[in-house]
Amino acid sequence: MTSIAGHLAAIEELRARAFPARCERAGWTDSGPGYHIAALRVSEDFWDADLSRVREVDEEFDAELRLLVGALAREWGAPDVLDLTECLERSGLGEPVPPPLDSLCGYVAELHTWMVDGRWVAVGVGQADRELPIQLVAAIGEPDSLRPR
């Protein structure tokens, strides 16, 4: 497990960062007008792994997410939970989904969200496909970018 304190520091760094005028990608961080998405922790890939290994890592990431949500809730109160199923369905139908939800819904099922200092902060765990890494992610955005349109 990675340090919760390290995750909190990474989230604070994202909150302090200005949003870029155009989309940018650096490693496991995506940024664009009105948002940042960063992988706080990334597992190994699972191309040759058995399902028990995938379940074990998924449970580990879920436990780490619960600890992170608890730490953030102590700071900012209880989070709202945003189910991204509707965004994924709309995306699959070719309907527009605003960034960063268009990206997040491809691998994160739900986000724990807070509104802090005029920006939303969200954390979640996801995996784009069974063979791909599991990710613990944080996202920061402008208020209107959190709502599916």
Side-chain angles (χ1 to χ4, degrees):
M1 234 186 257
T2 310
S3 148
I4 297 301
H7 296 333
L8 295 173
I11 290 168
E12 285 306 309
E13 189 276 326
L14 287 173
R15 288 182 58 224
R17 189 185 301 176
F19 297 126
R22 59 179 174 69
C23 294
E24 302 173 350
R25 181 175 189 121
W28 291 96
T29 302
D30 288 316
S31 295
Y35 72 90
H36 301 295
I37 303 170
L40 302 174
R41 182 173 175 214
V42 180
S43 75
E44 75 269 21
D45 65 41
F46 299 102
W47 290 103
D48 297 319
D50 63 35
L51 289 177
S52 64
R53 176 64 185 148
V54 177
R55 276 192 299 276
E56 175 186 327
V57 173
D58 188 49
E59 289 171 4
E60 185 179 310
F61 272 67
D62 284 342
E64 193 164 344
L65 174 64
R66 285 192 301 275
L67 290 172
L68 181 57
V69 167
L72 292 169
R74 283 189 291 281
E75 180 75 22
W76 300 324
D80 290 326
V81 177
L82 177 63
D83 184 335
L84 296 179
T85 303
E86 178 185 342
C87 294
L88 182 61
E89 290 171 350
R90 290 176 59 198
S91 177
L93 294 171
E95 296 177 12
V97 177
L101 299 181
D102 60 344
S103 173
L104 288 165
C105 74
Y107 62 104
V108 178
E110 67 180 25
L111 292 170
H112 301 267
T113 68
W114 295 263
M115 188 61 67
V116 182
D117 299 329
R119 290 182 169 184
W120 56 263
V121 177
V123 293
V125 167
Q127 183 181 26
D129 202 357
R130 193 194 83 71
E131 297 85 8
L132 298 177
I134 296 171
Q135 298 179 46
L136 173 61
V137 299
I140 312 296
E142 293 178 341
D144 59 348
S145 66
L146 189 58
R147 291 186 282 279
R149 295 181 189 131

